[in-house]
Amino acid sequence: MKRMKWLWLFVLLGFLLAACTDDEAVVKKAVKEPVAAEADEPLKIGFAMDTLKEERWVKDRNLFRQAVESHGVRVEITAANGDDARQIAQAEEMIQKGIDLLVIVPHNAEATAAIVHKAHKAGIKVIAYDRLVKNAEIDLYVSFDNEKVGEIQAEAMLAKVPKGNYVFIGGAPTDNNAHLLKKGVFKVLQPAIDRGDIRIVYDQWTEDWAPENAFANMSEALETNGNRIDAVIAANDATAGGAVEALKVQGLDGEIPVAGQDAELAAVQRIVSGTQTMTVYKPIQTLSERVAALAVHLAKGNEFSAIDSINNGKSEVPSVLLEPVAVDEGNIRETVIADGFHTEADVYGGD
Ligand code: GAL
């Protein structure tokens, strides 16, 4: 009998020990190799956007999500509505919650450097999407050649208005793209300025790329120059729209050539109706797919060496720069409609 008791005791002890080791093993395994547990979860990319205010950013968001998910990778997207503190907080939260790589469209090129530092401290690489982050060791910058955007605008306007008074409606001074674009515009205009063929009679940044600020700038340009304006270069279609509204007040819309950027639907419709001369189309599908593929590639721990680089005040940032395309009334079908960026019906009306 006594012996039977000892036997049961041993069996019971055995069970307890086995149960104990399994939990511990799981916990130990989980603690010791958290990767193991996460390895089963697909990678996750964080996309910290500035805004969805302009038409293009809605396309960027949707196309980027599709592209990342097509790699079997998860994506979390935030938009800060032009608020720096909110963008930093949103990125911080994604970093804390756990992402494998951060893609960012900075509202303010300088302020977002703080996010890059935080991401790197957490061992997370950062890709700057379309807009450069200044003064931080960015891992990769992918955008269109923004200087070229300005060159294309200026070349189109000089071809149409070789002599006369020019107005430059710049973009947001917090956005590095606005500075690159302006550099491209003036690189092309300078010889004509030096020859005295053209005069820059107004040159202002537009706070937050806001159409209402562009309207105010253009109204001021018209007033201070007695409406003697011969050409307008606006840094994007939202600001071009504001400028055209100001021209309309003076009954000058359709009289004075206007250049824009982004191939927004309203701008392409203005080109068809004659109140805007041209815009610069940037195939967002190409950009979003390129960034998604590179983000997944880097998030998997792979290396990537870019052909180009841009100095952001801290380092030579490896860069991929895509080609922008000039669009005017002569090639709308071959460009934005052929790419499915807009439909024939949306641009020209009808069914
Ligand atoms: C720029 C971008 C443009 C433009 C603008 C306003 O950085 O390159 O396409 O739309 O922002 O959001």
Side-chain angles (χ1 to χ4, degrees):
M1 185 54 186
K2 211 165 180 197
R3 237 164 79 228
M4 277 305 281
K5 248 197 221 151
W6 277 114
L7 195 59
W8 272 115
L9 205 62
F10 266 112
V11 170
L12 194 62
L13 210 61
F15 265 113
L16 279 174
L17 265 177
C20 172
T21 36
D22 286 353
D23 291 349
E24 266 173 27
V26 169
V27 172
K28 270 207 201 93
K29 184 164 171 283
V31 173
K32 197 166 82 261
E33 312 150 5
V35 179
E38 285 166 7
D40 308 331
E41 287 182 302
L43 291 173
K44 189 175 184 183
I45 307 287
F47 188 26
M49 302 185 74
D50 161 23
T51 179
L52 295 170
K53 190 172 49 135
E54 282 84 18
E55 180 182 289
R56 66 149 297 174
W57 298 116
V58 177
K59 283 192 167 92
D60 289 278
R61 177 199 57 192
N62 299 345
L63 291 168
F64 185 74
R65 179 188 295 285
Q66 276 168 30
V68 171
E69 290 174 350
S70 74
H71 293 275
V73 169
R74 295 171 299 157
V75 59
E76 181 171 343
I77 304 178
T78 60
N81 206 14
D83 180 325
D84 294 329
R86 183 184 298 169
Q87 188 166 38
I88 292 170
Q90 288 171 333
E92 250 176 16
E93 195 186 334
M94 284 197 277
I95 291 167
Q96 262 146 23
K97 279 198 311 194
I99 49 176
D100 299 284
L101 187 132
L102 179 67
V103 177
I104 184 161
V105 184
H107 171 251
N108 181 310
E110 313 272 351
T112 35
I115 296 175
V116 179
H117 301 318
K118 291 204 165 79
H120 283 170
K121 253 170 84 188
I124 295 167
K125 287 192 171 164
V126 182
I127 297 179
Y129 183 108
D130 195 79
R131 297 175 180 172
L132 191 61
V133 175
K134 302 276 290 195
N135 304 324
E137 301 257 5
I138 282 282
D139 299 282
L140 184 61
Y141 170 52
V142 186
S143 184
F144 293 90
D145 183 337
N146 291 287
E147 255 186 66
K148 188 125 187 224
V149 171
E151 293 169 19
I152 288 173
Q153 289 182 313
E155 280 153 8
M157 297 316 276
L158 272 183
K160 210 154 176 91
V161 187
K163 292 181 186 289
N165 292 341
Y166 274 59
V167 165
F168 180 69
I169 303 284
T174 50
D175 182 346
N176 190 63
N177 282 350
H179 297 267
L180 292 172
L181 180 142
K182 183 173 182 178
K183 194 173 164 203
V185 166
F186 282 85
K187 189 164 45 176
V188 170
L189 294 185
Q190 201 55 51
I193 295 169
D194 296 343
R195 285 195 306 271
D197 289 351
I198 68 168
R199 280 184 331 127
I200 307 299
V201 294
Y202 189 88
D203 170 1
Q204 272 302 334
W205 300 111
T206 305
E207 211 54 47
D208 263 337
W209 297 93
E212 58 276 17
N213 297 341
F215 175 87
N217 284 345
M218 190 66 216
S219 304
E220 187 183 42
L222 286 160
E223 197 187 332
T224 50
N225 291 283
N227 285 357
R228 286 187 303 282
I229 306 290
D230 301 295
V232 180
I233 298 179
N236 74 346
D237 288 333
T239 53
V244 169
E245 285 310 307
L247 290 170
K248 204 180 275 179
V249 173
Q250 302 298 323
L252 294 169
D253 56 317
E255 305 293 319
I256 298 176
V258 174
Q261 172 197 194
D262 287 338
E264 285 190 357
L265 181 57
V268 179
Q269 290 167 337
R270 286 196 294 267
I271 291 173
V272 171
S273 66
T275 56
Q276 185 167 328
T277 311
M278 64 84 64
T279 185
V280 180
Y281 167 49
K282 302 188 293 184
I284 306 289
Q285 179 120 26
T286 311
L287 174 67
S288 57
E289 287 174 358
R290 187 68 64 84
V291 178
L294 287 165
V296 172
H297 181 77
L298 293 179
K300 288 181 176 167
N302 302 310
E303 294 302 320
F304 172 74
S305 49
I307 302 163
D308 287 314
S309 71
I310 277 191
N311 192 297
N312 73 343
K314 176 84 177 178
S315 63
E316 281 297 323
V317 179
S319 302
V320 175
L321 301 177
L322 306 171
E323 277 306 300
V325 180
V327 173
D328 62 21
E329 64 193 345
N331 69 342
I332 292 172
R333 288 194 171 88
E334 296 78 14
T335 53
V336 291
I337 292 178
D339 274 13
F341 197 72
H342 298 306
T343 66
E344 173 91 17
D346 283 346
V347 171
Y348 294 102
D351 305 328

